[in-house]
């Protein structure tokens, strides 16, 4: 992506029937925030590294007679640096403003959105199963994750979907269109990888855990139209919205079910061919994650695949990169982010009953969304900084 790249407008998102209407001022605000995020990431962030290399690290070494040995030491030292403070405060503000803008757009039309969602849901009543007895687990109820007011689950009135609608509106701001017109780049990446690497794998039953608004499971349901797809989440507003959104997109083979992935007694042992999560684990706690992995092991058929899109684990990178990636843990209401990225994933899988030696790490490539990013030039290859993002995934084929 060139430094002078003109970013797509929020209007480039694919319209669907439950996406809130944004007026001129909303779109202007969303676009300014998108550009602010992009500017912070592409122009300001390199200065943070420079501040570390040229000022903070030499001062640390002079004082301690050694280099920093952990990302936490880097963070403690950087907290005093004005350039870091400037970047960090702006990044945090941009995130808060994204959510405020999404909330303004969604709350203004809260009743109309609920009615629209209810009508679509009533047209396919058998594929939405809400269950008021499901408790929102502490990893979700105790914190407004990434500064999202009401997190994923808050309902302010019966049939409220505003937290979900505002999430749908705001994803674009943080990713500058990187996720594509339907914010489904992650799901597209899984579909693409399966088609290229495992063309004979035709799952008949698919489970997605922590589906939120269902944006990343829709491409899989479309790729495997004969499959029965079950998408679970604990958050009622998200499930209502996700179901209506899928119906609006003409996708009828996904059942959205309110359930906690830590224990899914309603599903039989070894009853799924494919179990996925997308950007999920970093929002689960040290108690939730082992339970969910054990559930996946119980539910996955021998010969089946479990695949998880997630940011890379910290041990794969240098200390400075760990420190920058760890920003979310301390400044973006993501308390599980750092602890999760420190985990030994093979050990976690092994504790859940899997054979850890079967685990693989892979980059999965999203299809370029030409409606937003234009056509790729002939001969272009490799990573092109946003137009063909490569996602990190880990997974495991369960031995028959
Ligand atoms: C980061 S979001 C996942 C995003 C989404 N999968 C995507 O493709 O971008 C995490 C989601 O997991 C849900 N969640 C968290 N813990 C859960 C659990 N134990 N069982 C089911 N869903 C859970 C949250 O309500 C939230 O919607």
């Amino acid at each position: 992506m060139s430094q002078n790249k003109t970013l797509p407008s929020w209007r480039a998102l694919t319209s669907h029937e439950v996406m809130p209407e944004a007026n001129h001022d909303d779109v202007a605000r969303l676009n300014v925030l998108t550009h602010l995020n992009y500017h912070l990431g592409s122009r300001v962030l390199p200065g943070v590294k420079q501040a570390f290399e040229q000022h903070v690290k030499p001062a640390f070494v002079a004082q301690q007679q050694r280099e920093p040995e952990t990302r936490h030491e880097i963070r403690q030292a950087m907290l005093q640096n004005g350039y870091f403070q400037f970047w960090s405060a702006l990044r945090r503000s941009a995130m808060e403003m994204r959510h405020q803008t999404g909330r303004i757009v969604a709350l203004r039309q809260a009743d109309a959105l609920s009615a629209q969602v209810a009508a679509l849901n009533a047209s396919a009543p058998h594929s939405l199963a809400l269950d008021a007895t499901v408790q929102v687990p502490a990893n979700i109820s105790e914190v407004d994750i990434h500064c999202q007011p009401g997190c994923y689950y808050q309902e302010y009135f019966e049939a409220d979907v505003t937290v979900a609608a505002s999430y749908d509106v705001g994803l674009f701001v943080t990713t500058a269109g990187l996720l594509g017109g339907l914010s489904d780049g992650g799901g597209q990446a899984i579909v693409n990888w399966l088609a290229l690497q495992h063309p004979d794998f035709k799952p008949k039953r698919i489970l997605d855990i922590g589906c939120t608004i269902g944006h990343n499971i829709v491409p899989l349901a479309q790729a495997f139209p004969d499959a029965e797809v079950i998408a679970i989440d604990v958050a009622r507003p998200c499930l209502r919205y996700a179901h209506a959104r899928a119906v609006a997109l003409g996708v009828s083979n996904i059942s959205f079910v309110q359930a906690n992935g830590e224990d899914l007694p309603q599903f039989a042992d070894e009853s799924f061919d494919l179990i996925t999560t997308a950007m999920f684990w970093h929002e689960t706690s040290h108690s939730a994650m082992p339970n969910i992995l054990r559930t996946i092991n119980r539910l996955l058929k021998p010969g089946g695949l479990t695949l998880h899109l997630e940011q890379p684990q910290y041990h794969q990178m240098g200390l400075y990169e760990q420190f920058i990636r760890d920003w979310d843990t301390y400044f973006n209401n993501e308390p599980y982010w750092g602890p999760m990225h420190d985990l030994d994933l093979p050990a976690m899988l092994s504790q859940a009953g899997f054979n850890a030696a079967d685990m693989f790490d892979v980059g999965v490539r999203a299809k370029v969304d030409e409606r937003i990013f234009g056509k790729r030039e002939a001969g272009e290859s490799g990573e092109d900084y946003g137009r063909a993002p490569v996602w990190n995934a880990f997974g495991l084929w369960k031995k028959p």
Side-chain angles (χ1 to χ4, degrees):
M1 202 183 283
S2 121
Q3 295 262 309
N4 298 317
K5 183 179 169 67
T6 302
L7 300 175
S9 165
W10 185 88
R11 289 256 184 246
L13 288 180
T14 309
S15 162
H16 58 73
E17 280 177 74
V18 288
M19 181 65 121
E21 305 253 330
N23 65 29
H24 170 276
D25 289 5
D26 300 326
V27 174
R29 200 172 292 121
L30 289 161
N31 286 342
V32 165
L33 291 172
T34 304
H35 278 81
L36 175 59
N37 271 324
Y38 180 72
H39 181 74
L40 289 174
S42 61
R43 297 285 184 96
V44 183
L45 187 56
V48 176
K49 184 158 194 200
Q50 226 175 326
F52 173 64
E53 295 292 350
Q54 293 179 3
H55 303 289
V56 176
K57 188 161 93 174
F60 182 99
V61 171
Q63 197 183 28
Q64 305 282 337
Q65 300 297 303
R66 62 171 175 83
E67 297 213 344
E69 286 166 3
T70 67
R71 66 177 188 272
H72 302 293
E73 286 189 341
I74 296 183
R75 186 181 67 259
Q76 288 303 333
M78 288 295 278
L79 280 173
Q80 316 307 320
N81 178 265
Y83 198 93
F84 171 74
Q85 293 169 356
F86 164 74
W87 167 80
S88 178
L90 279 174
R91 191 171 184 205
R92 167 73 182 223
S93 300
M95 185 53 109
E96 290 188 10
M97 286 190 283
R98 160 195 155 177
H99 289 300
Q100 285 159 8
T101 308
R103 293 299 289 158
I104 289 166
V105 172
L107 284 170
R108 194 172 55 225
Q109 49 203 300
D111 292 339
L113 280 171
S114 290
Q116 177 75 336
V117 163
L120 284 159
N121 288 345
S123 73
H126 302 301
S127 42
L128 175 63
L130 299 181
D131 177 354
T133 66
V134 173
Q135 302 276 321
V136 176
N139 57 297
I140 295 298
S141 66
E142 296 292 306
V143 58
D144 279 350
I145 290 192
H146 44 63
C147 309
Q148 186 170 296
C151 200
Y152 297 100
Y153 68 92
Q154 199 63 252
E155 296 165 283
Y156 298 99
F157 57 91
E158 182 67 29
D160 185 9
V161 293
T162 48
V163 286
S166 99
Y167 183 83
D168 207 2
V169 168
L171 271 173
F172 176 89
V173 169
T174 307
T175 58
L178 192 77
L179 298 177
L182 285 166
S183 301
D184 62 357
Q188 297 279 5
I190 295 181
V191 169
N192 207 21
W193 179 77
L194 283 174
L196 288 171
Q197 302 297 326
H198 302 280
D200 297 332
F201 181 58
K202 304 280 181 227
K204 292 189 182 60
R205 212 154 174 257
I206 301 172
L207 175 67
D208 184 53
I209 300 177
C211 64
T212 314
I213 58 168
H215 47 304
N216 281 320
I217 192 60
V218 162
L220 268 162
Q222 289 170 321
F224 300 105
D226 299 330
E228 179 194 5
V229 182
I230 295 168
I232 70 156
D233 204 290
V234 288
R236 294 163 75 82
C238 287
L239 289 163
R240 283 190 201 103
Y241 185 90
H243 180 254
R245 185 180 181 279
V247 171
L249 293 171
V251 176
S252 58
N253 58 332
I254 311 178
S255 292
F256 290 90
V257 176
Q258 186 177 6
N260 186 333
E262 292 185 56
D263 183 22
L264 295 169
Q266 62 270 59
F267 302 126
D269 294 359
E270 302 185 348
S271 57
F272 289 93
D273 306 286
L274 173 62
I275 302 181
T276 57
T277 68
M279 305 300 160
F280 170 73
W281 296 114
H282 65 260
E283 293 182 8
T284 60
S285 64
H286 274 183
S287 65
M289 187 169 174
N291 292 340
I292 299 170
L293 285 172
R294 262 193 304 276
T295 303
I296 293 175
N297 188 29
R298 180 179 71 76
L299 296 178
L300 193 62
K301 281 185 195 167
L305 168 69
T306 185
L307 189 67
H308 308 275
L309 287 185
E310 191 43 272
Q311 302 288 321
Q313 294 301 89
Y314 285 155
H315 69 85
Q316 302 173 24
M317 60 191 73
L319 287 185
Y320 177 82
E321 189 178 347
Q322 290 184 24
F323 148 72
I324 280 296
R325 285 177 173 268
D326 215 31
W327 180 86
D328 291 82
T329 313
Y330 294 90
F331 304 106
N332 195 27
N333 275 14
E334 293 265 19
Y336 315 108
W337 180 285
M340 186 266 144
H341 288 300
D342 271 337
L343 290 174
D344 177 346
L345 290 180
M348 298 292 291
L349 287 165
S350 175
Q351 281 159 25
F354 288 105
N355 181 2
D358 295 337
M359 184 190 133
F360 61 84
D361 259 313
V362 66
V364 292
R365 178 172 287 272
K367 279 186 190 154
V368 175
D369 189 332
E370 293 181 351
R371 289 164 301 182
I372 290 190
F373 296 105
K375 283 196 186 303
R376 302 189 85 194
E377 304 292 323
E380 249 185 316
S381 65
E383 175 57 78
D384 57 2
Y385 306 100
R387 287 182 46 203
V390 174
W391 301 68
N392 192 67
F394 70 92
L396 182 146
W397 292 92
K398 190 174 180 180
K399 289 255 164 59

